[in-house]
Amino acid sequence: MQFLKVFTFFFFYFPPSGPGILTRTLLNAGVRVVALENNSAFLPNLQSLENSLDGQLKVIYGDFFRLDPLVTGTLKPPAMCSDKLFETIGVEAVPWSADVPVRVFGIVPQIKERIILWRLLFALYECSSIYKYGRVELNVFVSEKEYKVLTAKAGDARAYQTLSILWQVGCEIQLLHMEPWSSFLTNLKNRGLAVPKSMRLPNDHLCLVRLTPRQNLFTGVLKPTNSSTFIFLVKQCLAKPTYRLTDRLNSWSLDSDGKLLRELEIPKNTATRDLYPEDYRRLFEALQNSNMFTETWFHDEVLHSIRKINL
Amino acid sequence: TVNKVELAPLVNDKYQDPLWKGGAPSPAEEQPAPRGRAESPAQLSGWVEKSKKEMRARQLKVERKLSIAASQLAVEGQAKAKAKGKAKAKAKANKTKAQRPWRAPEDRKSNHRKILQQMVQSSLECFLFLQQPEEAEKFLLMYHNSRAKRHLLNVDAYNIVMRSWARKGCLQHVHRLFSMLESTGLQPSLDSYAAVLECMGRSQVPAIAIRRCVKQLKNNGFVVDELFQKCLFEEDEKEKVLRAIRTIQPKYQLPPPPSSKTCKSSLLQAFYSRKTMMPYPKMDFSVQELREHFQQQLEMELDSTVTIESVESTKPLTPQAIKAVKSGGKELGESGGCTSGGKGGCSPVGTWGEMQDPLCLPLSQVLNTVSPQGESLAVLARDLSTKVYNRYVTQRKLRSRQLEKVQEVYKDYIRLLARDSRVGVYLPREYWEKLVVEAGFGPSLNLKDCSWPYVILMRLGMHLLELLVQAVRVPRNILNPRLEPRLIPVLYHIYSFRSTWQIGLIKPHPVFSQLVSDAAETTLTFNSSVIPMLCPPVPWTSPHFGAFVLNDTKLMRFVDGAVQHQLLLEQCPLVNLHPVLDALNQLGNCAWKINQPVLDIIISIFNDKGNEKLDIPPPISEAPRPPAAPGNSTNGNKSHKHELLLCKKKAAEMHSLRMDALYKLSIANYVRDKVFWFPHNMDFRGRTYPCPPYFNHLGNDVTRAILLFAEGRPLGPKGLDWLKIHLINLTGLKKNNALRERLEYANEIMEEILDSADHPLTGRKWWMNTDEPWQALACCMEIAKASRSPDPAAYVSHFPVHQDGSCNGLQHYAALGRDLIGAMSVNLMPCGVPQDVYSVVAQQVEEFRKKDAEQGVKVAQVLQGFISRKVVKQTVMTVVYGVTRYGGRLQMEKRLKEIEFPEEYLWEASRYLVKQVFNSIKEMFSATRDIQNWLTESAKLIAQSGQTVEWVTPLGLPIVQPYYRSKSTLLPPPTLCCRKPDTVKQKNAFPPNFIHSLDSTHMMLTALHCLRSGLTFVSVHDCYWTHALTVDAMNQICRQQFVALHSEKILQDLSKFMVEKYCSPDREMRALWQSKLMEQLSNVPKTGRSSGPEHFGDEGREVGSGPQHR
């Protein structure tokens, strides 16, 4: 695992029953590691390790995938607030254009994989939660089927989904490693790593994927303030992936007789699932520039959907 | 009839063709938007005209294709050899393709086939209705000639086509079909012969041919008489068949009708015994008056919609709004205008009007009623197609001359109810049946089954909605002239995401919603079935016939797509349904009128900003305003958005509440000077409901307060006291006091009562602080009037007095299990003071808590002083309905939060309380839990064996639980009929459903016996209403019937029925689950100490001290 060498910082999400191999690998590579442990049973062990290492390891009781939950009121650990976490580890926010401030390493719990991917996505596009501190790089294990979705090509009936478009627009996605399920200790009891069944997509591996937010994500028309409209647009388009894009836009009064699509040189009979992520971005930018959103109901709808999206 | 040639000029629109000829519909090609931009407003209206035409043409096509569409659905896979190219244009083609060949276990396969057959049949029925035998035959041949699909044709399919030829007198065609039928190896049925004979009668063939036909009929094991006894005829079919028969047997006489049977149920022996029968109670109307009422009702139903004044006072329009509305109104007119053509109900077959009418009106209604917040696609589609279906049925009734006959029979039927005529001793159903028999000739009153399968309804609705979405447009700049003019769709699709599901919604464009609300519509348009009936309902005589004159009403309401109980009702011998039908007729025959003073007060508050405390929803203008946007900090932005969202949500809620109240009040206002009736039907458990949905006596406090019995009765000696007790019951005070004490209390506060009655809005407003303020106010007014009359006992009161069952479900359980202590606490046992089960449980829980607290249990100590009746009430009430610990804990948590229990102990405390509540109930109702467990466990095993839970109520009503595992409501269709039962729901719902069915049985028994004693009786489930004069008599009947019901061996009978049903002896008991099921079902739980309900004395459901108000 050579790629680990150059880091300043790590958050390390600890798999519930993990033996600590990954932590040790990282420590051996000589980087500073902050370990977030969500299981209080493993804390004592880690803490003794922390004490023996003279500041190279910092252990915090918390759950990386339960940062900034939507509920209001006081947070009970392991749920925690990202502001507090970053304060504790002493990392300041950097501009979006700056280099990666923090690298995160971990395993996405299988049971909530989808939800977590969505929540990270919203945080990314809103520049909230961890992304408030800059382009945080994620190195996470996800199931193979989700990896296939994240990297799906336009037109792929099985894998190309809203999630594919949004992640591809938002991040560079790099596959670092694939490991068959058999090399993991699966723990059915607390469902930590139970291998989920998948009918449509192959799912024989865990994939270590690096998700680096694109530097130019917000350099154009797309901004954290209007990104929810973009997400909404993509979601609505992909709700019926076989429908023609022009029909959809027409019915939402966003495009009159395909003028916009002609200008964007998108063929008339394109189905919504055939459009590439960058084209969705161009489409959004064109709509945003022509003030189409503000004067239609679309604006209201976006507002309305915020709550549902975040759940 | 309409044919393609006539249509051609209309369809010859250049925007039109691509839609139907060139593959999938493409709005881009057909939308006239680019032209719209250049057009002046005048030209725009021209466009409107044009699009109106377009719509009509399209609708016509749709109507014609209805059946084709249906057939397409029925065909599995893509391989339908559709001869007509145009039909391929159906948007559905791709969906059909998506359907994968479906594999199911053998036993379910037949069910699956049945639904497909039904689809084919309803398509053929449509052709029959449209009088297009050629098309019908083409369609039939398509299936007949395909080996793979032929099995979807049954005898009935061939019969329908034969009938449509027979109606034209084309004997050759009929013969050809007959031989086709025989060639497939199917047995011709009685209906097949009826069709052949009808055709022969029509075309006057020589006697020898007829003789041959009759001979063959006899060879097939039928008798000529059966033709007239079993077949259902339309129009003049019966006469024609008779003519054919008389050609060969000139002296042939119609067979005498089968003698009517009477119900043998032991519970109703006295009720049905001819000896004790009394004449049916009369209504205070003459024959002439009732006939006029009937005429009004009939006209209303023929129009199919009613437009009534809204009670909302209109706000003045701004000039700007008026202008916009004027131009936009045309847009609305576009859809509204379509209705003009086809009002004439009896117009000749296939005229323009008749063809477009069934579609146009429902379509325009969608536009007028779709809420700004949008509506679920599936719900809208179903409503839309149900409306179309209902109009189709209406047209069929007209066409088959069924209506004429109903009119004729009803005219005589009314004599049973009118005060100025004498007929013998009959029940409404019996009298109606007798009159039908006497009427002899003509069409049958029951239509041949023509219901469209759920899948067809959904697909049709979706298709129509799609048309609307594509066709209806509005100029974008209508409200804001500065925008460039462009036509934009009025409706659009949007999706809402719920975890992994997405829900399709249809929303109106905000411009359109604004337009509609600016237009300040002063009228409301309803389906005629929404308005209470203006004449006594047509009595239920079969599961298909009763209630409204024309509107198709089902005896049993169905949950989407479930057809099982309909089948069950059809298979059930009619005589077993008699008690249920009679009870429904009895409930429906109660006449109502409006309490005008109360209605006026309510409307005045409604128009004066409403009042949330009094349950009068305020107008949308009172909604909270969203706060102004704060600075741009991202955090503030988020909370601001959240606030905006909350405001929107609140506004949406207020809108729907307001509209609901508006509908109720407007309907009440519409019938304010009339006498009206609520026809009743039931849900699948036999619980009865009035059919009109918005305004009925099951409604909230407001609606109940404005209803009075149309019939008045003197108060009698105890009536005034009952009114006072009723008032105290409505206030929710004095829950734990005897009736005598409640009465005393009422007398003490007489001054307040009179003040409320005299100065409801300006006085001390005592009534406003009660549980049910509006009913309390109405009651105050009645008491004031009665007590001030010279002789209160003679005062004629129309006021309904309610008697509530106290925790009714537990009463039934206690009686089933013969639980003494439990019975006492729910007032089944004599006891000085009315017992309150909630207080008893609360006491018990408190005792447990004290013990635990002494032993140092922390939660128990914290809970000190928090346990009250209120905290435990909801959980106790819902225990009967199978609430789990999980749900119970949530309830407790809510209650504890309300009384400001320390939050850190909330979870623990609520869990502790639920445990204790369950324990105390277990102690008090020892047998109850056993029975519940037995029911649950039995249901679980039944559902696991792949069957649905069925049972029969003591009155003979068959019941089946309609819970299935289901995925999508739309795709793929075949799963609808052969879904597996949903084990969890089947099992959890069985105990409550069973208790509900007992409850409804008790209600029906009470209703029937009240009829025999001449009492007015209606029910809101377990709350019974009657005149003040007859409260005591009703209570007595109620008690007697409760005892009688529970003297039956209910559980044993249930066990016996289920063993027979699910463990048939011919099936070998080889599998383990079968013997397990058998053991479970036959192992009825032991009941409590006392041996029979007599032990409860005839104080069962103790009334001396009250079935008390909740």
Side-chain angles (χ1 to χ4, degrees):
Chain A
M1 295 193 190
Q2 292 174 359
F3 59 94
L4 301 173
K5 278 178 191 161
V6 281
F7 307 144
T8 51
F9 259 140
F10 274 105
F11 291 154
F12 184 26
Y13 170 69
F14 218 83
S17 55
I21 294 171
L22 293 172
T23 316
R24 291 205 179 271
T25 316
L26 290 171
L27 290 171
N28 292 340
V31 295
R32 275 185 68 202
V33 175
V34 175
L36 280 180
E37 174 55 63
N38 72 347
N39 190 337
S40 46
F42 292 116
L43 273 178
N45 254 340
L46 271 171
Q47 272 155 356
S48 61
L49 190 65
E50 179 182 12
N51 294 336
S52 69
L53 274 175
D54 193 26
Q56 198 196 353
L57 175 69
K58 192 173 172 65
V59 178
I60 296 171
Y61 179 45
D63 188 338
F64 179 74
F65 296 108
R66 285 176 67 190
L67 281 177
D68 305 312
L70 284 162
V71 290
T72 46
T74 48
L75 292 181
K76 271 188 205 157
M80 66 193 303
C81 174
S82 56
D83 289 353
K84 209 167 156 200
L85 176 68
F86 277 82
E87 198 188 307
T88 321
I89 62 174
V91 171
E92 301 266 316
V94 298
W96 193 259
S97 51
D99 205 11
V100 172
V102 170
R103 293 175 191 203
V104 177
F105 195 93
I107 298 183
V108 180
Q110 286 298 301
I111 192 99
K112 293 196 297 184
E113 197 173 34
R114 260 280 140 133
I115 297 171
I116 286 168
L117 285 175
W118 270 110
R119 288 202 52 199
L120 286 170
L121 200 61
F122 289 123
L124 171 68
Y125 275 90
E126 278 177 359
C127 281
S128 61
S129 190
I130 52 168
Y131 292 106
K132 209 153 71 180
Y133 295 84
R135 298 189 294 123
V136 173
E137 179 190 290
L138 298 181
N139 300 274
V140 286
F141 278 105
V142 294
S143 63
E144 186 177 353
K145 68 180 163 87
E146 289 305 342
Y147 167 71
K148 293 277 185 219
V149 169
L150 291 187
T151 54
K153 290 273 183 309
D156 183 340
R158 291 191 168 177
Y160 194 60
Q161 300 167 9
T162 319
L163 214 51
S164 330
I165 297 171
L166 293 174
W167 273 110
Q168 288 176 33
V169 167
C171 286
E172 276 169 49
I173 303 170
Q174 201 181 346
L175 177 67
L176 301 175
H177 183 69
M178 271 170 103
E179 188 68 30
W181 278 107
S182 50
S183 11
F184 291 87
L185 249 177
T186 54
N187 182 347
L188 277 169
K189 206 168 166 194
N190 63 7
R191 323 241 323 263
L193 278 178
V195 185
K197 279 184 206 155
S198 169
M199 310 290 273
R200 293 160 66 97
L201 292 166
N203 198 24
D204 306 320
H205 298 82
L206 262 189
C207 299
L208 180 59
V209 183
R210 174 180 295 168
L211 302 164
T212 324
R214 289 182 196 275
Q215 212 159 11
N216 64 357
L217 182 59
F218 298 121
T219 50
V221 176
L222 186 68
K223 292 279 177 262
T225 44
N226 61 22
S227 59
S228 55
T229 314
F230 177 58
I231 296 177
F232 182 74
L233 176 74
V234 177
K235 274 188 120 176
Q236 291 297 329
C237 284
L238 268 284
K240 290 279 176 229
T242 53
Y243 281 29
R244 293 199 308 173
L245 185 65
T246 169
D247 294 348
R248 298 270 92 177
L249 294 180
N250 254 321
S251 85
W252 296 325
S253 340
L254 288 179
D255 186 16
S256 50
D257 58 308
K259 192 169 141 235
L260 191 74
L261 290 189
R262 260 201 310 281
E263 280 166 16
L264 293 172
E265 292 173 346
I266 296 170
K268 216 174 165 195
N269 55 358
T270 312
T272 54
R273 81 147 65 100
D274 293 336
L275 201 64
Y276 280 88
E278 37 296 13
D279 286 333
Y280 269 108
R281 185 176 170 152
R282 286 200 301 133
L283 175 66
F284 168 78
E285 289 176 345
L287 286 167
Q288 186 74 24
N289 279 334
S290 64
N291 277 333
M292 273 297 189
F293 289 129
T294 46
E295 60 185 58
T296 61
W297 50 266
F298 224 83
H299 190 68
D300 288 349
E301 284 293 347
V302 174
L303 196 68
H304 197 73
S305 65
I306 290 172
R307 193 179 42 134
K308 284 172 202 147
I309 279 176
N310 278 343
L311 284 178
Chain B
T1 60
V2 175
N3 58 39
K4 277 169 253 172
V5 186
E6 282 172 34
L7 265 174
L10 272 157
V11 187
N12 197 8
D13 185 302
K14 65 173 168 176
Y15 301 118
Q16 185 69 55
D17 287 346
L19 186 63
W20 296 112
K21 299 224 171 99
S26 58
E29 283 169 81
E30 53 107 36
Q31 69 138 317
R35 288 154 27 113
R37 189 175 299 173
E39 275 167 349
S40 69
Q43 282 168 314
L44 272 183
S45 73
W47 174 82
V48 167
E49 273 307 305
K50 189 165 176 184
S51 81
K52 195 197 293 189
K53 266 193 206 161
E54 256 175 56
M55 281 267 276
R56 278 191 197 176
R58 215 173 287 168
Q59 283 156 6
L60 274 170
K61 289 206 132 191
V62 172
E63 167 69 3
R64 245 167 1 94
K65 282 189 191 138
L66 263 184
S67 44
I68 299 167
S71 68
Q72 286 194 331
L73 298 172
V75 185
E76 269 182 307
Q78 179 81 312
K80 46 189 177 292
K82 201 89 217 77
K84 288 163 279 180
K86 60 176 171 111
K88 283 186 190 149
K90 278 289 178 190
K92 280 153 201 155
N94 46 2
K95 285 191 185 164
T96 349
K97 188 165 65 182
Q99 234 165 267
R100 260 169 238 101
W102 191 83
R103 282 169 234 289
E106 267 317 303
D107 52 331
R108 273 186 237 125
K109 201 147 190 171
S110 66
N111 213 351
H112 162 72
R113 196 166 72 187
K114 212 181 273 170
I115 293 267
L116 289 177
Q117 285 176 347
Q118 208 189 342
M119 286 174 152
V120 175
Q121 274 175 43
S122 43
S123 312
L124 290 171
E125 288 275 0
C126 276
F127 286 121
L128 173 65
F129 171 74
L130 292 167
Q131 306 204 325
Q132 293 173 344
E134 298 89 355
E135 299 289 313
E137 189 171 324
K138 235 185 237 169
F139 183 80
L140 185 84
L141 282 175
M142 193 176 87
Y143 282 85
H144 182 83
N145 293 336
S146 149
R147 190 168 291 171
K149 284 182 273 174
R150 191 185 277 183
H151 71 280
L152 293 179
L153 297 177
N154 57 9
V155 190
D156 291 328
Y158 291 92
N159 289 347
I160 295 168
V161 184
M162 276 194 261
R163 278 174 70 208
S164 46
W165 282 119
R167 200 166 287 175
K168 299 226 154 155
C170 303
L171 193 55
Q172 263 183 330
H173 287 275
V174 176
H175 272 313
R176 202 176 63 222
L177 279 160
F178 200 91
S179 41
M180 256 166 69
L181 166 66
E182 285 178 318
S183 74
T184 57
L186 289 168
Q187 276 291 330
S189 71
L190 213 51
D191 280 317
S192 325
Y193 289 105
V196 178
L197 287 170
E198 177 208 337
C199 192
M200 289 173 161
R202 218 178 277 280
S203 51
Q204 307 229 308
V205 291
I208 177 143
I210 300 176
R211 207 161 281 140
R212 212 184 303 139
C213 177
V214 171
K215 194 174 160 208
Q216 200 186 342
L217 176 145
K218 285 177 181 157
N219 285 345
N220 266 338
F222 298 117
V223 191
V224 175
D225 279 358
E226 282 179 315
L227 282 174
F228 301 98
Q229 283 164 339
K230 292 188 180 159
C231 294
L232 298 173
F233 295 105
E234 289 183 10
E235 295 182 51
D236 58 350
E237 288 170 348
K238 196 173 185 178
E239 284 79 351
K240 295 300 175 219
V241 175
L242 188 64
R243 185 153 135 201
I245 297 292
R246 284 198 175 143
T247 317
I248 52 168
Q249 294 177 37
K251 288 199 181 131
Y252 179 79
Q253 287 300 317
L254 283 180
S259 58
S260 63
K261 292 177 199 144
T262 35
C263 174
K264 295 272 188 312
S265 165
S266 58
L267 289 165
L268 288 166
Q269 243 159 22
F271 178 79
Y272 282 114
S273 116
R274 286 276 153 199
K275 274 175 247 159
T276 55
M277 224 179 237
M278 297 194 313
Y280 195 76
K282 295 288 180 186
M283 293 177 180
D284 193 18
F285 294 101
S286 67
V287 171
Q288 192 50 39
E289 282 166 333
L290 284 176
R291 281 184 186 163
E292 278 160 23
H293 288 322
F294 174 72
Q295 203 53 39
Q296 281 176 19
Q297 174 69 23
L298 181 63
E299 274 160 25
M300 184 164 83
E301 286 189 43
L302 278 174
D303 281 348
S304 90
T305 56
V306 192
T307 302
I308 66 176
E309 294 273 313
S310 157
V311 292
E312 194 163 38
S313 56
T314 47
K315 40 191 184 260
L317 292 178
T318 61
Q320 203 187 350
I322 292 176
K323 201 172 149 217
V325 168
K326 259 189 196 159
S327 47
K330 281 181 194 147
E331 191 63 36
L332 290 172
E334 181 226 279
S335 42
C338 301
T339 62
S340 54
K343 282 282 170 65
C346 302
S347 54
V349 178
T351 62
W352 276 100
E354 199 172 347
M355 293 299 289
Q356 67 184 3
D357 207 21
L359 286 165
C360 251
L361 205 61
L363 283 176
S364 70
Q365 271 178 346
V366 169
L367 274 186
N368 289 337
T369 56
V370 65
S371 103
Q373 282 79 38
E375 237 148 307
S376 145
L377 190 65
V379 172
L380 261 186
R382 194 192 52 211
D383 286 357
L384 191 53
S385 54
T386 311
K387 278 176 187 160
V388 173
Y389 170 72
N390 281 337
R391 311 202 95 203
Y392 161 72
V393 171
T394 305
Q395 295 295 334
R396 263 187 72 157
K397 284 181 178 170
L398 284 173
R399 179 89 58 81
S400 69
R401 299 219 298 267
Q402 184 254 17
L403 179 65
E404 279 172 46
K405 191 158 169 183
V406 171
Q407 257 173 301
E408 206 177 300
V409 173
Y410 193 91
K411 268 184 188 152
D412 287 330
Y413 164 71
I414 226 65
R415 286 150 45 86
L416 178 74
L417 308 172
R419 59 164 187 254
D420 57 350
S421 73
R422 292 262 162 274
V423 293
V425 177
Y426 293 104
L427 288 168
R429 172 186 53 80
E430 295 169 340
Y431 193 55
W432 183 277
E433 281 167 355
K434 170 179 174 284
L435 292 173
V436 170
V437 168
E438 285 170 6
F441 274 99
S444 331
L445 288 187
N446 287 342
L447 286 183
K448 274 206 176 108
D449 181 42
C450 54
S451 59
W452 293 345
Y454 186 64
V455 183
I456 289 199
L457 283 177
M458 286 308 285
R459 291 283 174 86
L460 171 66
M462 291 289 187
H463 187 74
L464 292 176
L465 271 182
E466 200 51 48
L467 287 182
L468 264 188
V469 168
Q470 285 172 16
V472 187
R473 273 143 211 276
V474 67
R476 186 172 67 135
N477 59 346
I478 198 154
L479 294 173
N480 184 355
R482 276 169 308 178
L483 293 175
E484 59 175 315
R486 184 154 71 83
L487 289 172
I488 49 170
V490 164
L491 300 173
Y492 59 89
H493 291 277
I494 203 89
Y495 303 89
S496 172
F497 298 89
R498 311 267 152 83
S499 66
T500 56
W501 289 105
Q502 63 189 40
I503 299 164
L505 297 175
I506 290 272
K507 285 199 181 191
H509 196 284
V511 166
F512 179 77
S513 303
Q514 186 65 43
L515 206 63
V516 173
S517 86
D518 283 354
E521 206 41 68
T522 56
T523 57
L524 297 166
T525 302
F526 291 112
N527 252 7
S528 57
S529 56
V530 161
I531 310 288
M533 285 186 78
L534 306 176
C535 66
V538 175
W540 287 104
T541 51
S542 78
H544 305 284
F545 187 81
F548 290 101
V549 182
L550 269 176
N551 285 318
D552 198 39
T553 320
K554 291 265 182 311
L555 179 65
M556 227 178 227
R557 300 165 171 224
F558 61 97
V559 192
D560 297 336
V563 287
Q564 277 76 359
H565 47 263
Q566 198 65 34
L567 292 174
L568 212 56
L569 284 177
E570 274 158 31
Q571 287 158 8
C572 173
L574 199 54
V575 63
N576 289 1
L577 293 178
H578 280 173
V580 175
L581 298 177
D582 289 333
L584 285 172
N585 291 336
Q586 178 53 17
L587 295 171
N589 269 343
C590 173
W592 298 89
K593 66 175 190 175
I594 294 289
N595 191 341
Q596 296 191 8
V598 178
L599 176 64
D600 289 334
I601 295 172
I602 291 173
I603 290 179
S604 74
I605 292 185
F606 181 80
N607 278 329
D608 182 32
K609 297 188 176 174
N611 184 332
E612 271 181 333
K613 204 182 126 235
L614 293 179
D615 209 14
I616 311 284
I620 203 83
S621 56
E622 299 294 303
R625 301 237 166 258
N632 352 330
S633 78
T634 47
N635 230 350
N637 204 0
K638 207 168 183 180
S639 72
H640 176 62
K641 274 182 184 168
H642 186 68
E643 207 129 311
L644 269 180
L645 216 67
L646 284 185
C647 282
K648 279 204 142 194
K649 201 177 155 213
K650 173 83 179 158
E653 281 167 13
M654 281 175 67
H655 176 80
S656 63
L657 285 176
R658 177 82 177 172
M659 290 319 275
D660 182 57
L662 177 67
Y663 291 169
K664 282 175 180 159
L665 294 176
S666 299
I667 295 171
N669 193 47
Y670 175 68
V671 292
R672 68 183 296 142
D673 298 315
K674 299 183 165 92
V675 171
F676 49 88
W677 285 262
F678 295 122
H680 278 61
N681 63 2
M682 336 176 253
D683 65 10
F684 72 94
R685 304 165 296 196
R687 281 200 142 187
T688 58
Y689 299 84
C691 300
Y694 299 112
F695 176 64
N696 58 49
H697 64 281
L698 252 66
N700 58 2
D701 177 42
V702 176
T703 27
R704 289 186 194 192
I706 47 187
L707 281 167
L708 290 175
F709 290 135
E711 185 194 5
R713 299 240 175 140
L715 282 181
K718 284 183 72 183
L720 185 56
D721 289 350
W722 271 119
L723 279 178
K724 289 174 182 168
I725 293 167
H726 177 53
L727 175 65
I728 301 305
N729 287 343
L730 288 170
T731 61
L733 305 166
K734 305 284 160 193
K735 280 265 165 208
N736 297 327
N737 298 66
L739 294 186
R740 189 175 33 78
E741 289 165 303
R742 296 184 200 185
L743 179 58
E744 279 163 17
Y745 177 68
N747 286 327
E748 274 168 40
I749 57 163
M750 200 58 192
E751 210 175 310
E752 296 283 357
I753 295 174
L754 293 179
D755 174 73
S756 291
D758 296 337
H759 314 285
L761 297 178
T762 53
R764 295 195 292 270
K765 301 178 188 170
W766 171 82
W767 62 278
M768 287 193 189
N769 295 311
T770 56
D771 274 7
E772 318 261 345
W774 289 107
Q775 291 175 80
L777 174 65
C779 196
C780 286
M781 291 172 154
E782 188 71 5
I783 291 173
K785 272 191 263 174
S787 60
R788 284 165 183 163
S789 76
D791 176 13
Y795 172 79
V796 176
S797 168
H798 296 263
F799 201 82
V801 173
H802 310 173
Q803 296 287 295
D804 246 25
S806 51
C807 204
N808 206 268
L810 275 177
Q811 283 184 337
H812 283 288
Y813 271 126
L816 278 178
R818 313 275 193 261
D819 265 327
L820 276 183
I821 308 171
M824 205 175 307
S825 65
V826 288
N827 297 312
L828 282 177
M829 295 289 291
C831 199
V833 182
Q835 293 293 305
D836 178 46
V837 64
Y838 311 118
S839 310
V840 179
V841 173
Q843 274 167 24
Q844 180 87 47
V845 172
E846 175 64 16
E847 259 165 53
F848 287 139
R849 187 202 65 78
K850 260 190 202 148
K851 259 187 225 159
D852 285 345
E854 276 160 24
Q855 285 172 4
V857 179
K858 181 80 179 134
V859 197
Q861 290 165 354
V862 178
L863 269 167
Q864 179 159 19
F866 281 103
I867 296 171
S868 65
R869 176 181 187 276
K870 218 178 150 191
V871 171
V872 300
K873 181 176 168 182
Q874 194 188 10
T875 311
V876 175
M877 196 154 43
T878 44
V879 157
V880 200
Y881 304 118
V883 76
T884 54
R885 294 220 163 164
Y886 178 83
R889 196 195 66 75
L890 290 178
Q891 292 170 350
M892 285 293 177
E893 198 178 83
K894 247 189 210 157
R895 293 293 90 72
L896 287 177
K897 257 188 198 161
E898 280 168 12
I899 53 172
E900 284 162 18
F901 185 76
E903 196 165 335
E904 60 266 39
Y905 292 105
L906 206 53
W907 193 85
E908 221 172 326
S910 47
R911 200 180 66 147
Y912 173 81
L913 276 185
V914 166
K915 201 174 100 195
Q916 298 309 351
V917 167
F918 277 41
N919 282 344
S920 31
I921 288 179
K922 213 174 197 169
E923 204 149 290
M924 289 163 60
F925 299 86
S926 49
T928 298
R929 277 272 146 179
D930 289 344
I931 298 174
Q932 264 188 356
N933 289 341
W934 180 69
L935 294 173
T936 312
E937 195 57 28
S938 305
K940 187 176 116 195
L941 290 176
I942 292 170
Q944 279 173 348
S945 76
Q947 301 170 85
T948 47
V949 179
E950 283 178 34
W951 69 99
V952 175
T953 72
L955 274 188
L957 181 70
I959 289 173
V960 52
Q961 293 197 130
Y963 309 121
Y964 303 92
R965 266 188 252 165
S966 66
K967 286 238 163 111
S968 161
T969 45
L970 271 181
L971 291 170
T975 47
L976 274 176
C977 51
C978 31
R979 295 174 296 181
K980 280 187 183 167
D982 179 334
T983 311
V984 176
K985 269 194 174 174
Q986 289 279 352
K987 136 183 128 101
N988 285 343
F990 183 39
N993 281 339
F994 181 70
I995 293 300
H996 277 314
S997 75
L998 283 186
D999 194 26
S1000 78
T1001 304
H1002 175 223
M1003 190 279 293
M1004 288 180 180
L1005 283 172
T1006 312
L1008 292 175
H1009 286 88
C1010 281
L1011 163 67
R1012 277 288 169 256
S1013 312
L1015 312 187
T1016 303
F1017 175 89
V1018 285
S1019 80
V1020 178
H1021 303 318
D1022 62 346
C1023 172
Y1024 301 164
W1025 298 15
T1026 191
H1027 284 101
L1029 171 73
T1030 48
V1031 173
D1032 289 311
M1034 183 188 75
N1035 281 340
Q1036 199 193 351
I1037 294 171
C1038 164
R1039 242 177 299 150
Q1040 284 167 353
Q1041 293 312 314
F1042 190 85
V1043 173
L1045 173 64
H1046 283 285
S1047 305
E1048 300 278 299
K1049 291 186 176 120
I1050 295 174
L1051 287 180
Q1052 283 78 359
D1053 289 348
L1054 176 69
S1055 155
K1056 215 170 106 196
F1057 173 83
M1058 294 206 295
V1059 167
E1060 266 170 37
K1061 166 101 199 154
Y1062 300 107
C1063 319
S1064 53
D1066 51 305
R1067 218 191 280 171
E1068 272 178 60
M1069 294 287 170
R1070 42 179 180 234
L1072 182 63
W1073 65 264
Q1074 278 170 325
S1075 49
K1076 220 169 125 191
L1077 180 64
M1078 179 78 180
E1079 195 191 328
Q1080 168 68 26
L1081 292 182
S1082 32
N1083 193 9
V1084 183
K1086 299 257 182 320
T1087 53
R1089 285 136 287 190
S1090 65
S1091 51
E1094 311 79 45
H1095 205 96
F1096 293 153
D1098 64 355
E1099 298 289 322
R1101 190 165 170 137
E1102 164 58 25
V1103 174
S1105 44
Q1108 48 187 3
H1109 197 269
R1110 286 186 290 255

